[in-house]
């Protein structure tokens, strides 16, 4: 699916299956392929549309603002009949902002651990060292610093993630976009009072092995949203879309078939 947006750029997504539409917004450092294990389990019952996020498309210039990301979501959504938004990590923050911008365009949302700001910024001054490493053409080290200091992953796992990214050209190029992604969320500031005005049904997903701060952010969002339900992903962390796609697919399908059907 390709749609020209108001600013002349092209929004791109993969459109598969038939049934109630689900529009998926992937998280940081990813692309539209990351959620395919989940949508493969859904497309026999649903029309699944996986967005290629504007921020992580290297064919488009950066940096990318949050409104520009939302514009691409809205352009694809306009081709569908009030889709359910499914957002993961920073993609779930994009989903929240899309809901705020035009709530009537969507039937509801499934949000998997959005790192919303609930007090101090996500990074404060923690990205200086990461940007310095990126300036020295060391994207793997930059990502390791980001994952350790902002995502709060244990240091050995953070350095492993950085080492793996450093070996792959396509991921190396995305590290700067990941740092920009974090900055865009910080620029939003605390938006919980705005999200509290959303009247759409929203399902929250959270892994019981995820970093504690993500759980705390999900707690705050659950308290703020007026029409929400929460489903724990047992035995999972922040990447259940890859490690446990059946759990995630089941949660999404149940939400669409049961929660939305009651409204």
């Amino acid at each position: 699916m390709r749609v020209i947006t108001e600013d002349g750029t092209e929004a791109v997504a993969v459109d598969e299956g038939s049934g109630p539409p689900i529009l998926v917004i992937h998280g940081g450092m990813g692309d539209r392929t990351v959620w395919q294990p989940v949508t493969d389990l859904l497309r026999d019952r649903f029309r699944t549309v996986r967005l290629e996020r504007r921020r992580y498309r290297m064919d488009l210039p950066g940096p990318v603002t949050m409104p520009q990301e939302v514009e691409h979501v809205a352009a694809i959504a306009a081709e569908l009949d009030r889709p359910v938004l499914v957002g993961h990590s920073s993609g779930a923050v994009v989903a929240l902002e899309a809901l705020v911008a035009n709530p009537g365009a969507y039937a509801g949302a499934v949000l998997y651990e959005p790192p919303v700001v609930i007090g101090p910024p996500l990074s404060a001054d923690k990205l200086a060292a990461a940007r310095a490493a990126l300036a020295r053409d060391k994207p793997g080290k930059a990502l390791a610093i980001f994952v350790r200091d902002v995502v709060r992953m244990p240091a050995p796992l953070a350095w492993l993630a950085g080492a793996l990214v450093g070996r792959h050209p396509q991921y190396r190029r995305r590290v700067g976009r990941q740092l920009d992604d974090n900055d865009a969320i910080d620029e939003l500031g605390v938006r919980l009072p705005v999200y509290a005005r959303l009247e759409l049904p929203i399902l929250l997903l959270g892994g019981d092995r995820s970093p504690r701060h993500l759980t705390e952010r999900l707690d705050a969002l659950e308290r703020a949203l007026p029409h929400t339900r929460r489903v724990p992903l047992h035995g999972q962390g922040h990447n259940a879309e890859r490690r446990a796609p059946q759990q995630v697919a089941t949660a999404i399908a149940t939400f669409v078939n049961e929660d939305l059907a009651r409204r």
Side-chain angles (χ1 to χ4, degrees):
M1 180 184 290
R2 297 178 181 273
V3 181
I4 301 299
T5 66
E6 290 183 4
D7 68 1
T9 57
E10 186 178 58
V12 177
V14 173
D15 182 4
E16 300 172 309
S18 61
I22 295 171
L23 176 53
V24 180
I25 309 172
H26 64 79
M29 289 294 293
D31 59 23
R32 65 193 184 206
T33 65
V34 176
W35 273 72
Q36 185 172 346
V38 176
T39 58
D40 280 350
L41 297 169
L42 294 171
R43 62 183 179 177
D44 61 332
R45 295 160 286 166
F46 303 96
R47 182 181 180 184
T48 63
V49 180
R50 288 178 282 126
L51 178 72
E52 193 77 68
R53 278 180 65 186
R54 178 172 181 165
R55 185 175 304 281
Y56 290 95
R57 283 176 52 192
M58 306 311 295
D59 61 316
L60 295 177
V64 175
T65 67
M66 185 65 73
Q68 286 174 328
E69 283 229 82
V70 168
E71 184 178 356
H72 275 219
V73 176
I76 295 296
E79 301 296 308
L80 307 172
D81 181 17
R82 297 186 69 237
V84 172
L85 282 182
V86 174
H88 176 219
S89 194
S90 61
V93 179
V94 176
L96 277 165
E97 291 299 312
L99 294 175
V100 169
N102 188 5
Y106 308 98
V110 178
L111 307 176
Y112 180 7
E113 294 181 341
V116 294
V117 177
I118 59 174
L122 300 182
S123 60
D125 58 352
K126 296 174 184 175
L127 288 187
R131 291 205 178 274
L134 196 61
R136 298 194 304 272
D137 195 29
K138 295 183 179 296
K141 183 174 182 179
L143 185 72
I145 294 169
F146 169 79
V147 171
R148 182 196 65 195
D149 295 348
V150 178
V151 180
R152 304 182 198 176
M153 185 181 291
L157 294 178
W159 292 117
L160 177 61
L164 292 174
V165 163
R167 298 192 188 105
H168 294 279
Q170 70 181 66
Y171 290 113
R172 286 171 60 91
R173 297 169 64 207
R174 294 178 189 163
V175 173
R177 300 293 179 98
Q178 173 65 85
L179 303 185
D180 291 344
D181 200 356
N182 186 89
D183 285 346
I185 295 173
D186 276 346
E187 287 171 8
L188 289 173
V190 179
R191 297 274 283 170
L192 294 176
V194 177
Y195 302 151
R197 296 197 291 268
L198 291 170
E199 293 295 331
L200 294 164
I202 295 176
L203 178 69
L204 300 177
L205 301 181
D208 56 16
R209 294 186 179 179
S210 291
R212 182 176 177 179
H213 76 97
L214 290 176
T215 301
E216 292 170 351
R217 297 177 198 283
L218 205 62
D219 291 343
L221 193 56
E222 183 179 19
R223 289 191 295 268
L225 292 170
H227 305 291
T228 190
R229 184 167 65 85
R230 185 164 171 175
V231 170
L233 299 173
H234 296 295
Q236 300 303 317
H238 196 52
N239 55 0
E241 81 285 357
R242 287 177 288 160
R243 294 183 176 274
Q246 185 64 66
Q247 274 195 60
V248 179
T250 298
I252 294 170
T254 301
F255 173 71
V256 176
N257 289 333
E258 297 183 7
D259 295 53
L260 295 186
R262 287 195 291 265
R263 293 180 67 88

Coordinates of all heavy atoms in Angstrom, one line a residue, residues 153-235:
M153 N 18.7 -1.8 30.0 CA 19.0 -3.2 29.8 C 20.3 -3.4 30.6 O 21.2 -2.6 30.6 CB 19.1 -3.5 28.4 CG 19.3 -5.0 28.1 SD 19.5 -5.3 26.3 CE 17.9 -4.9 25.7
P154 N 20.5 -4.6 31.2 CA 21.8 -4.9 31.8 C 22.9 -4.7 30.9 O 22.8 -5.0 29.7 CB 21.6 -6.4 32.2 CG 20.1 -6.6 32.4 CD 19.5 -5.7 31.3
A155 N 24.0 -4.2 31.4 CA 25.2 -3.8 30.6 C 25.7 -4.9 29.6 O 25.9 -4.6 28.5 CB 26.3 -3.3 31.5
P156 N 25.8 -6.2 30.1 CA 26.3 -7.2 29.2 C 25.4 -7.4 28.0 O 25.9 -7.6 26.8 CB 26.3 -8.5 30.1 CG 26.5 -8.0 31.4 CD 25.7 -6.7 31.5
L157 N 24.1 -7.4 28.2 CA 23.1 -7.5 27.1 C 23.1 -6.3 26.2 O 23.0 -6.4 25.0 CB 21.7 -7.8 27.6 CG 21.5 -9.1 28.4 CD1 20.1 -9.1 28.9 CD2 21.8 -10.3 27.5
A158 N 23.3 -5.1 26.8 CA 23.4 -3.9 26.0 C 24.6 -3.9 25.1 O 24.5 -3.6 23.9 CB 23.5 -2.7 26.9
W159 N 25.7 -4.3 25.6 CA 26.9 -4.4 24.7 C 26.8 -5.4 23.7 O 27.3 -5.3 22.5 CB 28.2 -4.6 25.6 CG 28.5 -3.4 26.4 CD1 28.5 -3.4 27.8 CD2 28.7 -2.1 26.0 NE1 28.8 -2.1 28.3 CE2 28.9 -1.3 27.2 CE3 28.9 -1.4 24.8 CZ2 29.2 0.1 27.1 CZ3 29.1 -0.1 24.7 CH2 29.3 0.7 25.9
L160 N 26.1 -6.5 24.0 CA 25.9 -7.6 23.0 C 25.0 -7.0 21.9 O 25.3 -7.2 20.7 CB 25.2 -8.8 23.6 CG 24.9 -9.9 22.7 CD1 26.1 -10.5 22.0 CD2 24.2 -11.1 23.4
A161 N 24.0 -6.3 22.2 CA 23.1 -5.7 21.2 C 23.9 -4.8 20.3 O 23.7 -4.7 19.1 CB 21.9 -5.0 21.9
G162 N 24.7 -3.9 21.0 CA 25.5 -3.0 20.2 C 26.5 -3.7 19.2 O 26.7 -3.3 18.1
A163 N 27.1 -4.8 19.7 CA 28.0 -5.6 18.9 C 27.3 -6.2 17.7 O 27.8 -6.2 16.5 CB 28.7 -6.7 19.7
L164 N 26.1 -6.7 17.9 CA 25.3 -7.3 16.8 C 24.9 -6.2 15.7 O 25.0 -6.4 14.5 CB 24.1 -8.0 17.3 CG 24.4 -9.2 18.2 CD1 23.0 -9.8 18.8 CD2 25.0 -10.3 17.3
V165 N 24.5 -5.1 16.2 CA 24.1 -4.0 15.3 C 25.3 -3.5 14.5 O 25.2 -3.1 13.4 CB 23.4 -2.8 16.1 CG1 23.3 -1.6 15.3 CG2 22.0 -3.3 16.6
G166 N 26.4 -3.4 15.2 CA 27.6 -2.9 14.6 C 28.1 -3.7 13.4 O 28.8 -3.2 12.5
R167 N 27.6 -4.9 13.3 CA 28.0 -5.8 12.2 C 27.1 -5.7 11.0 O 27.3 -6.3 9.9 CB 28.1 -7.3 12.6 CG 29.1 -7.5 13.7 CD 29.3 -9.0 13.9 NE 30.2 -9.3 15.1 CZ 29.7 -9.7 16.2 NH1 28.4 -10.0 16.4 NH2 30.5 -10.0 17.2
H168 N 25.9 -5.1 11.1 CA 24.9 -5.1 10.1 C 24.7 -3.7 9.5 O 24.1 -2.8 10.2 CB 23.6 -5.7 10.6 CG 23.7 -7.1 11.0 ND1 23.6 -8.1 10.1 CD2 23.9 -7.7 12.2 CE1 23.7 -9.3 10.7 NE2 23.9 -9.1 12.0
P169 N 25.0 -3.5 8.3 CA 24.9 -2.1 7.7 C 23.5 -1.5 7.8 O 23.4 -0.3 8.1 CB 25.3 -2.3 6.2 CG 26.2 -3.5 6.2 CD 25.6 -4.4 7.3
Q170 N 22.4 -2.3 7.6 CA 21.1 -1.8 7.6 C 20.7 -1.3 9.0 O 20.0 -0.3 9.2 CB 20.1 -2.8 7.1 CG 19.8 -3.9 8.1 CD 18.8 -4.9 7.5 OE1 19.0 -5.6 6.5 NE2 17.6 -5.0 8.1
Y171 N 21.2 -1.9 10.0 CA 20.9 -1.5 11.4 C 21.8 -0.4 11.8 O 21.4 0.5 12.6 CB 21.0 -2.7 12.4 CG 19.9 -3.7 12.2 CD1 20.1 -5.0 11.7 CD2 18.6 -3.3 12.5 CE1 19.1 -5.9 11.6 CE2 17.5 -4.2 12.3 CZ 17.8 -5.5 11.9 OH 16.8 -6.4 11.7
R172 N 23.1 -0.4 11.4 CA 24.0 0.7 11.7 C 23.4 2.0 11.3 O 23.5 3.0 12.0 CB 25.3 0.5 11.0 CG 26.2 -0.6 11.5 CD 27.4 -0.9 10.6 NE 28.2 0.3 10.4 CZ 29.3 0.5 11.1 NH1 29.6 -0.2 12.2 NH2 30.0 1.6 10.9
R173 N 22.7 2.1 10.1 CA 22.2 3.3 9.6 C 21.0 3.8 10.4 O 20.7 5.0 10.4 CB 21.8 3.1 8.1 CG 22.9 2.8 7.2 CD 22.4 2.3 5.9 NE 21.7 3.4 5.2 CZ 20.8 3.2 4.3 NH1 20.4 2.0 4.0 NH2 20.2 4.2 3.7
R174 N 20.4 2.9 11.2 CA 19.2 3.3 11.9 C 19.5 3.9 13.3 O 18.6 4.3 14.0 CB 18.2 2.1 12.1 CG 17.6 1.7 10.7 CD 16.8 0.5 10.9 NE 16.4 -0.1 9.7 CZ 15.9 -1.4 9.5 NH1 15.7 -2.1 10.6 NH2 15.6 -1.8 8.4
V175 N 20.7 3.7 13.8 CA 21.0 4.1 15.2 C 20.7 5.6 15.4 O 20.1 6.0 16.4 CB 22.5 3.7 15.5 CG1 22.8 4.3 16.9 CG2 22.6 2.2 15.5
G176 N 21.1 6.4 14.5 CA 20.9 7.9 14.6 C 19.4 8.1 14.7 O 18.9 9.0 15.5
R177 N 18.6 7.4 13.9 CA 17.1 7.6 13.9 C 16.6 7.1 15.3 O 15.6 7.7 15.7 CB 16.5 6.8 12.8 CG 17.0 7.2 11.4 CD 16.5 8.6 11.0 NE 17.0 9.0 9.7 CZ 16.3 8.9 8.6 NH1 15.0 8.5 8.6 NH2 16.7 9.4 7.4
Q178 N 17.2 6.1 15.9 CA 16.7 5.7 17.2 C 16.9 6.7 18.3 O 16.0 7.0 19.1 CB 17.4 4.4 17.6 CG 17.2 3.9 19.0 CD 15.7 3.5 19.3 OE1 15.4 2.4 19.0 NE2 14.9 4.4 19.8
L179 N 18.1 7.4 18.2 CA 18.3 8.5 19.1 C 17.3 9.6 18.9 O 16.8 10.2 19.9 CB 19.8 9.0 19.0 CG 20.9 7.9 19.2 CD1 22.2 8.6 19.2 CD2 20.7 7.1 20.5
D180 N 17.1 9.9 17.6 CA 16.1 11.0 17.3 C 14.7 10.6 17.8 O 13.9 11.4 18.2 CB 16.0 11.2 15.8 CG 17.3 11.8 15.2 OD1 18.1 12.4 16.0 OD2 17.5 11.8 14.0
D181 N 14.4 9.3 17.7 CA 13.1 8.8 18.2 C 12.9 9.1 19.6 O 11.9 9.6 20.1 CB 13.1 7.2 17.9 CG 11.7 6.6 17.9 OD1 10.7 7.4 18.1 OD2 11.6 5.4 17.6
N182 N 13.9 8.8 20.4 CA 13.9 9.1 21.8 C 13.7 10.6 22.1 O 12.9 11.0 23.0 CB 15.2 8.6 22.5 CG 15.2 8.7 24.0 OD1 14.7 7.8 24.7 ND2 15.6 9.9 24.5
D183 N 14.4 11.4 21.3 CA 14.3 12.9 21.5 C 12.9 13.3 21.2 O 12.3 14.2 21.9 CB 15.3 13.6 20.6 CG 16.7 13.5 21.1 OD1 16.9 13.1 22.2 OD2 17.6 13.8 20.3
A184 N 12.2 12.7 20.2 CA 10.9 13.1 19.8 C 9.9 12.8 20.9 O 9.0 13.6 21.2 CB 10.5 12.4 18.5
I185 N 10.1 11.7 21.6 CA 9.2 11.4 22.8 C 9.5 12.4 23.9 O 8.5 12.8 24.6 CB 9.4 9.9 23.2 CG1 9.0 9.0 22.1 CG2 8.7 9.6 24.5 CD1 9.3 7.5 22.3
D186 N 10.7 12.7 24.2 CA 11.0 13.6 25.2 C 10.4 15.0 25.0 O 10.0 15.7 25.9 CB 12.6 13.7 25.4 CG 13.1 12.6 26.3 OD1 12.3 12.0 27.0 OD2 14.4 12.4 26.3
E187 N 10.5 15.4 23.7 CA 9.9 16.7 23.3 C 8.4 16.8 23.6 O 7.9 17.8 23.8 CB 10.2 17.0 21.9 CG 11.6 17.3 21.6 CD 11.9 17.4 20.1 OE1 11.0 17.3 19.3 OE2 13.1 17.5 19.7
L188 N 7.7 15.6 23.6 CA 6.3 15.6 23.9 C 6.0 16.0 25.3 O 5.0 16.6 25.7 CB 5.7 14.2 23.6 CG 5.5 13.8 22.2 CD1 5.1 12.3 22.1 CD2 4.5 14.7 21.4
G189 N 7.0 15.6 26.2 CA 6.8 15.8 27.6 C 5.7 14.9 28.2 O 5.3 13.9 27.6
V190 N 5.1 15.3 29.3 CA 4.1 14.5 30.0 C 2.8 14.7 29.3 O 2.2 15.8 29.3 CB 4.0 14.8 31.5 CG1 2.9 14.0 32.1 CG2 5.3 14.5 32.2
R191 N 2.2 13.7 28.7 CA 1.0 13.8 27.9 C -0.2 13.0 28.5 O -1.2 12.9 27.9 CB 1.2 13.3 26.5 CG 2.3 14.1 25.7 CD 1.6 15.3 25.0 NE 0.9 14.9 23.8 CZ 0.1 15.7 23.2 NH1 -0.1 17.0 23.6 NH2 -0.5 15.3 22.1
L192 N 0.0 12.5 29.7 CA -1.0 11.7 30.4 C -2.4 12.5 30.5 O -3.4 11.8 30.2 CB -0.6 11.3 31.7 CG 0.6 10.3 31.7 CD1 1.0 10.0 33.2 CD2 0.3 9.0 31.0
P193 N -2.4 13.8 30.8 CA -3.7 14.4 30.8 C -4.4 14.5 29.5 O -5.6 14.5 29.4 CB -3.3 15.8 31.3 CG -2.1 15.7 32.1 CD -1.3 14.6 31.3
V194 N -3.6 14.6 28.4 CA -4.2 14.5 27.1 C -4.7 13.2 26.7 O -5.8 13.0 26.2 CB -3.1 15.0 26.0 CG1 -3.7 14.9 24.6 CG2 -2.6 16.4 26.3
Y195 N -3.9 12.1 27.0 CA -4.4 10.8 26.7 C -5.6 10.4 27.6 O -6.4 9.6 27.1 CB -3.2 9.8 27.0 CG -2.0 10.0 26.2 CD1 -0.7 9.7 26.8 CD2 -2.0 10.6 25.0 CE1 0.4 9.9 26.0 CE2 -0.8 10.8 24.2 CZ 0.4 10.5 24.8 OH 1.5 10.7 24.1
A196 N -5.8 11.0 28.7 CA -6.9 10.7 29.6 C -8.2 11.1 28.9 O -9.3 10.7 29.4 CB -6.7 11.4 30.9
R197 N -8.2 12.0 27.9 CA -9.4 12.4 27.2 C -9.8 11.5 26.1 O -10.8 11.7 25.5 CB -9.2 13.8 26.7 CG -9.0 14.9 27.8 CD -9.2 16.3 27.3 NE -8.2 16.7 26.3 CZ -7.1 17.4 26.7 NH1 -6.9 17.6 27.9 NH2 -6.2 17.8 25.7
L198 N -9.0 10.4 25.9 CA -9.3 9.5 24.8 C -10.5 8.6 25.2 O -10.4 7.9 26.3 CB -8.1 8.6 24.4 CG -7.0 9.3 23.7 CD1 -5.7 8.4 23.7 CD2 -7.4 9.7 22.3
E199 N -11.5 8.5 24.5 CA -12.7 7.7 24.8 C -12.7 6.4 24.1 O -13.7 5.6 24.2 CB -14.0 8.5 24.5 CG -14.2 9.8 25.3 CD -14.4 9.4 26.8 OE1 -15.0 8.3 27.1 OE2 -14.1 10.2 27.7
L200 N -11.7 6.1 23.3 CA -11.6 4.8 22.6 C -11.2 3.7 23.6 O -10.5 3.9 24.5 CB -10.6 4.9 21.5 CG -10.9 5.9 20.4 CD1 -9.6 6.2 19.6 CD2 -12.0 5.3 19.5
P201 N -11.6 2.5 23.3 CA -11.1 1.3 24.0 C -9.7 1.0 23.7 O -9.3 1.0 22.5 CB -12.0 0.2 23.6 CG -12.6 0.6 22.3 CD -12.6 2.1 22.3
I202 N -8.9 0.8 24.7 CA -7.4 0.6 24.5 C -7.0 -0.6 25.3 O -7.2 -0.6 26.5 CB -6.6 1.9 24.9 CG1 -7.0 3.0 23.9 CG2 -5.1 1.6 24.8 CD1 -6.3 4.3 24.2
L203 N -6.3 -1.5 24.7 CA -5.7 -2.6 25.4 C -4.2 -2.4 25.6 O -3.5 -2.0 24.7 CB -5.9 -3.9 24.6 CG -5.3 -5.2 25.2 CD1 -6.0 -5.6 26.4 CD2 -5.2 -6.3 24.1
L204 N -3.8 -2.6 26.8 CA -2.3 -2.4 27.2 C -1.7 -3.8 27.4 O -2.2 -4.6 28.0 CB -2.2 -1.6 28.5 CG -2.8 -0.2 28.4 CD1 -2.6 0.5 29.8 CD2 -2.1 0.7 27.4
L205 N -0.5 -4.0 26.7 CA 0.2 -5.2 26.9 C 1.6 -4.9 27.6 O 2.2 -3.9 27.3 CB 0.5 -5.8 25.5 CG -0.7 -6.2 24.6 CD1 -0.2 -6.8 23.3 CD2 -1.6 -7.1 25.3
G206 N 2.0 -5.8 28.4 CA 3.2 -5.6 29.1 C 3.8 -6.9 29.5 O 3.1 -7.8 30.0
G207 N 5.1 -7.1 29.3 CA 5.8 -8.3 29.7 C 6.2 -8.3 31.1 O 6.6 -7.2 31.6
D208 N 6.1 -9.4 31.8 CA 6.5 -9.5 33.2 C 8.0 -9.6 33.4 O 8.5 -9.6 34.5 CB 5.7 -10.6 34.0 CG 5.9 -11.9 33.4 OD1 6.9 -12.1 32.5 OD2 5.1 -12.9 33.7
R209 N 8.7 -9.6 32.3 CA 10.2 -9.6 32.4 C 10.8 -8.3 31.8 O 12.0 -8.2 31.5 CB 10.8 -10.8 31.7 CG 10.4 -12.1 32.4 CD 11.2 -13.3 31.8 NE 10.8 -14.6 32.5 CZ 11.3 -15.7 32.1 NH1 12.1 -15.8 31.1 NH2 11.0 -16.8 32.8
S210 N 10.0 -7.3 31.5 CA 10.4 -6.1 30.9 C 11.1 -5.2 31.9 O 10.9 -5.4 33.1 CB 9.3 -5.3 30.3 OG 8.7 -6.0 29.2
P211 N 12.0 -4.3 31.5 CA 12.6 -3.3 32.4 C 11.5 -2.6 33.3 O 10.4 -2.3 32.8 CB 13.3 -2.3 31.5 CG 13.6 -3.1 30.3 CD 12.4 -4.0 30.1
R212 N 11.9 -2.4 34.6 CA 10.9 -1.9 35.5 C 10.3 -0.6 35.1 O 9.1 -0.4 35.3 CB 11.6 -1.8 36.9 CG 10.7 -1.3 38.0 CD 11.4 -1.3 39.3 NE 10.5 -0.8 40.4 CZ 10.9 -0.7 41.7 NH1 12.1 -1.1 42.0 NH2 10.0 -0.3 42.6
H213 N 11.1 0.3 34.5 CA 10.6 1.6 34.2 C 9.5 1.5 33.1 O 8.6 2.3 33.1 CB 11.7 2.5 33.7 CG 12.2 2.3 32.4 ND1 11.8 3.0 31.3 CD2 13.1 1.4 31.9 CE1 12.4 2.6 30.2 NE2 13.2 1.6 30.5
L214 N 9.5 0.5 32.3 CA 8.5 0.3 31.3 C 7.2 -0.1 32.0 O 6.1 0.4 31.6 CB 8.9 -0.7 30.2 CG 10.0 -0.2 29.2 CD1 10.4 -1.4 28.3 CD2 9.5 1.0 28.4
T215 N 7.3 -0.9 33.0 CA 6.1 -1.3 33.7 C 5.5 -0.1 34.5 O 4.3 0.1 34.5 CB 6.5 -2.4 34.8 OG1 7.0 -3.5 34.0 CG2 5.3 -2.8 35.6
E216 N 6.4 0.7 35.0 CA 5.9 1.9 35.7 C 5.2 2.9 34.8 O 4.2 3.5 35.1 CB 7.1 2.6 36.4 CG 7.7 1.8 37.6 CD 9.0 2.4 38.1 OE1 9.5 3.3 37.4 OE2 9.5 1.9 39.1
R217 N 5.7 3.0 33.6 CA 5.1 3.9 32.6 C 3.7 3.3 32.2 O 2.7 4.0 32.0 CB 6.0 4.1 31.4 CG 7.3 4.8 31.7 CD 8.2 4.9 30.5 NE 9.6 5.2 31.0 CZ 10.0 6.4 31.4 NH1 9.2 7.4 31.4 NH2 11.3 6.5 31.8
L218 N 3.7 2.0 32.0 CA 2.4 1.3 31.7 C 1.4 1.5 32.8 O 0.2 1.7 32.6 CB 2.6 -0.1 31.4 CG 1.6 -0.8 30.5 CD1 1.6 -0.2 29.1 CD2 1.9 -2.3 30.3
D219 N 1.9 1.4 34.1 CA 1.0 1.6 35.2 C 0.4 3.0 35.1 O -0.9 3.2 35.4 CB 1.8 1.5 36.5 CG 2.2 0.1 36.8 OD1 1.7 -0.8 36.2 OD2 3.2 0.0 37.7
A220 N 1.2 4.0 34.9 CA 0.7 5.4 34.8 C -0.3 5.6 33.7 O -1.3 6.3 33.8 CB 1.9 6.4 34.6
L221 N 0.0 5.0 32.6 CA -1.0 5.1 31.4 C -2.3 4.4 31.7 O -3.4 4.9 31.4 CB -0.3 4.5 30.2 CG -1.0 4.7 28.8 CD1 -1.1 6.2 28.6 CD2 -0.2 4.1 27.7
E222 N -2.2 3.2 32.4 CA -3.4 2.5 32.8 C -4.3 3.3 33.7 O -5.5 3.4 33.6 CB -3.0 1.2 33.4 CG -4.3 0.3 33.8 CD -3.9 -1.0 34.4 OE1 -2.7 -1.1 34.9 OE2 -4.7 -1.9 34.4
R223 N -3.7 4.0 34.6 CA -4.4 4.9 35.5 C -5.1 6.1 34.8 O -6.1 6.5 35.2 CB -3.5 5.4 36.7 CG -3.1 4.4 37.7 CD -2.4 5.0 38.9 NE -1.2 5.7 38.5 CZ 0.0 5.1 38.6 NH1 0.1 3.8 38.9 NH2 1.1 5.8 38.3
A224 N -4.4 6.5 33.8 CA -4.9 7.7 33.1 C -6.0 7.5 32.1 O -6.9 8.3 31.9 CB -3.7 8.4 32.3
L225 N -5.9 6.3 31.4 CA -6.9 6.1 30.3 C -8.2 5.7 30.8 O -8.3 4.8 31.7 CB -6.3 4.9 29.4 CG -5.1 5.3 28.6 CD1 -4.5 4.1 27.9 CD2 -5.4 6.4 27.5
P226 N -9.3 6.2 30.3 CA -10.6 5.9 30.9 C -11.2 4.6 30.5 O -12.1 4.0 31.2 CB -11.5 7.1 30.4 CG -10.8 7.5 29.1 CD -9.4 7.3 29.3
H227 N -10.8 4.1 29.3 CA -11.4 2.8 28.8 C -10.3 1.9 28.4 O -10.0 1.7 27.2 CB -12.3 3.1 27.6 CG -13.4 4.1 27.9 ND1 -14.5 3.8 28.8 CD2 -13.6 5.4 27.5 CE1 -15.3 4.9 28.8 NE2 -14.7 5.8 28.1
T228 N -9.7 1.2 29.4 CA -8.6 0.4 29.1 C -8.7 -0.9 29.9 O -9.3 -1.0 30.9 CB -7.3 1.1 29.5 OG1 -6.2 0.4 29.0 CG2 -7.1 1.3 31.0
R229 N -8.0 -1.9 29.3 CA -7.8 -3.2 30.0 C -6.3 -3.6 29.8 O -5.7 -3.2 28.8 CB -8.7 -4.2 29.3 CG -8.7 -5.6 30.0 CD -9.9 -6.5 29.5 NE -9.8 -6.8 28.1 CZ -9.1 -7.8 27.6 NH1 -8.4 -8.6 28.4 NH2 -9.1 -8.0 26.3
R230 N -5.8 -4.4 30.7 CA -4.4 -4.7 30.6 C -4.2 -6.2 30.6 O -4.8 -6.9 31.4 CB -3.6 -4.1 31.8 CG -2.1 -4.3 31.8 CD -1.5 -3.3 32.8 NE -0.1 -3.5 33.0 CZ 0.6 -2.7 33.8 NH1 0.0 -1.7 34.4 NH2 1.9 -2.9 34.0
V231 N -3.3 -6.7 29.7 CA -3.0 -8.1 29.6 C -1.5 -8.3 29.8 O -0.7 -7.8 29.1 CB -3.5 -8.7 28.2 CG1 -2.9 -10.1 28.0 CG2 -5.0 -8.6 28.1
P232 N -1.2 -9.1 30.8 CA 0.3 -9.4 31.0 C 0.7 -10.5 30.0 O 0.0 -11.4 29.7 CB 0.3 -9.9 32.4 CG -1.0 -10.5 32.7 CD -2.0 -9.7 31.9
L233 N 1.9 -10.3 29.5 CA 2.6 -11.3 28.6 C 3.5 -12.1 29.5 O 4.7 -11.7 29.8 CB 3.3 -10.6 27.5 CG 2.4 -9.8 26.6 CD1 3.2 -9.0 25.6 CD2 1.4 -10.6 25.8
H234 N 3.0 -13.2 30.0 CA 3.8 -14.0 31.0 C 5.1 -14.6 30.3 O 5.1 -15.1 29.2 CB 2.9 -15.1 31.5 CG 1.7 -14.7 32.3 ND1 1.9 -14.0 33.4 CD2 0.4 -14.8 32.0 CE1 0.6 -13.6 33.9 NE2 -0.2 -14.1 33.0
G235 N 6.2 -14.4 31.1 CA 7.5 -14.9 30.7 C 8.1 -14.1 29.6 O 9.1 -14.6 29.0

